[in-house]
Amino acid sequence: AMKRWMAFLLLSAGFAFSSRAMTADEQMQFADGVFLRGLYDMAIPEYLNLIRDHPGSGQLDAAMFRLGESYRHTGNKSGADRFYQRVVKEFPGSPFRFRAEFRRAELFVTGGQYLEAVSLFQTLVSAGPPADILASAQYYLGYCLDKLRLQVEAEKAFLSVIQDHPESPFASYACLALAEIYHRAGGREAALRDLYEQASEKPTTPRVGAEALYQQAELAFRERDYARSAQFYEQLISRYTDDYRVQEALLRAAWSYHNAGHFADALELAESKLK
């Protein structure tokens, strides 16, 4: 209901200009107003009108990028790809160029076309984008390479995020992804500990933090360091009460305490799991 009301207000604002043609700035302001409210299907014709009616506007790069975003949000991947490409080709100096290039590559990731995505991300990385886009491109490059089972190359990409962009939101994701590669290979326990610790210290999301603690606990359990394992499980249970790993952690923590000789704690957690 709120979206319909906002659409009515915005359309009313548009009709106010109906007695004369909108200037490029007015058309852009109106299109952006619709776009920023998440009314992407309404934003598409407004940006198309701007591109058609004002081909000399200095805002065409922004309009084309947001048009691509609108198509992406409405599920029209071919439309999104077309306008992302136009931003990259027609406005190579635009501040939207690298974002459009990243979004285009991301379309191939969501479509499961990992080989094509690798090529696009490699091109983007070599073009020298800003640090935030570079970190995200390197992460997704590693993700796609791992999907293709090119694990040596994937490791390099994830390490570049972790080492060169430690403050990036993608750093903790890269830690978990690289840890998964090492876990599959086996024999990298010391590296696994470091990666899980780093991910748990600065998790991008609660889900990442919970997974990092869970994996730390599991690793300690496999190494028969039961007291340490129990500590990690307890941290997970207390910090991330809503995460799905908590239910698994209750019984695992009980076994950790049991194997460490802390029977009262083990019994308490076992009873909690039974409830």
Side-chain angles (χ1 to χ4, degrees):
M2 180 61 72
K3 276 198 169 186
R4 287 197 297 271
W5 176 243
M6 292 305 303
F8 172 76
L9 291 178
L10 288 165
L11 286 172
S12 299
F15 291 147
F17 293 105
S18 60
S19 60
R20 61 177 175 82
M22 287 190 190
T23 66
D25 287 344
E26 289 169 345
Q27 182 67 45
M28 188 68 176
Q29 184 178 9
F30 181 67
D32 283 348
V34 179
F35 176 85
L36 292 172
R37 287 165 177 80
L39 303 172
Y40 303 112
D41 53 343
M42 290 180 59
I44 289 170
E46 299 305 328
Y47 286 123
L48 287 172
N49 288 341
L50 172 65
I51 294 168
R52 180 197 63 200
D53 297 338
H54 304 283
S57 170
Q59 303 180 82
L60 285 188
D61 57 337
M64 287 184 184
F65 176 75
R66 289 172 192 149
L67 185 53
E69 291 285 86
S70 298
Y71 276 126
R72 181 175 66 86
H73 281 292
T74 54
N76 187 337
K77 291 186 177 181
S78 62
D81 185 48
R82 182 167 69 255
F83 282 97
Y84 290 146
Q85 283 195 74
R86 287 192 64 179
V87 175
V88 174
K89 292 178 180 177
E90 297 177 27
F91 304 96
S94 166
F96 294 96
R97 174 263 177 100
F98 292 117
R99 291 168 64 188
E101 209 164 357
F102 175 81
R103 285 297 199 200
R104 182 170 181 244
E106 196 177 32
L107 290 175
F108 286 87
V109 178
T110 57
Q113 297 168 275
Y114 302 118
L115 191 60
E116 294 85 348
V118 163
S119 177
L120 292 171
F121 281 124
Q122 286 174 334
T123 299
L124 174 56
V125 167
S126 65
D132 59 333
I133 295 177
L134 179 58
S136 56
Q138 288 279 25
Y139 169 78
Y140 278 106
L141 175 59
Y143 174 85
C144 294
L145 289 166
D146 187 37
K147 287 290 186 180
L148 295 168
R149 290 296 183 257
L150 299 171
Q151 293 176 347
V152 173
E153 292 84 351
E155 178 183 1
K156 292 177 182 177
F158 289 136
L159 280 173
S160 71
V161 181
I162 296 166
Q163 296 171 354
D164 300 338
H165 308 280
E167 301 303 318
S168 166
F170 286 92
S172 60
Y173 287 119
C175 286
L176 290 184
L178 183 56
E180 177 59 25
I181 291 176
Y182 290 164
H183 176 66
R184 291 197 303 260
R188 301 292 296 270
E189 282 73 14
L192 284 174
R193 278 193 292 273
D194 290 342
L195 289 168
Y196 292 142
E197 183 178 356
Q198 186 171 339
S200 64
E201 285 177 352
K202 293 183 178 180
T204 302
T205 65
R207 172 84 277 279
V208 170
E211 189 63 27
L213 282 173
Y214 180 81
Q215 293 300 338
Q216 282 178 290
E218 288 285 289
L219 178 59
F221 193 95
R222 291 194 299 272
E223 294 176 331
R224 301 186 179 185
D225 188 349
Y226 298 117
R228 193 160 178 265
S229 177
Q231 290 175 359
F232 286 129
Y233 283 128
E234 283 283 15
Q235 289 178 46
L236 166 62
I237 293 166
S238 62
R239 292 184 195 175
Y240 303 104
T241 55
D242 296 329
D243 193 84
Y244 79 94
R245 288 293 197 186
V246 168
Q247 288 303 311
E248 300 173 52
L250 288 172
L251 186 56
R252 300 288 283 178
W255 276 114
S256 295
Y257 277 126
H258 175 275
N259 293 343
H262 302 291
F263 301 117
D265 292 325
L267 183 60
E268 181 181 350
L269 281 170
E271 289 175 343
S272 173
K273 175 64 176 176
L274 285 171
K275 291 177 184 178

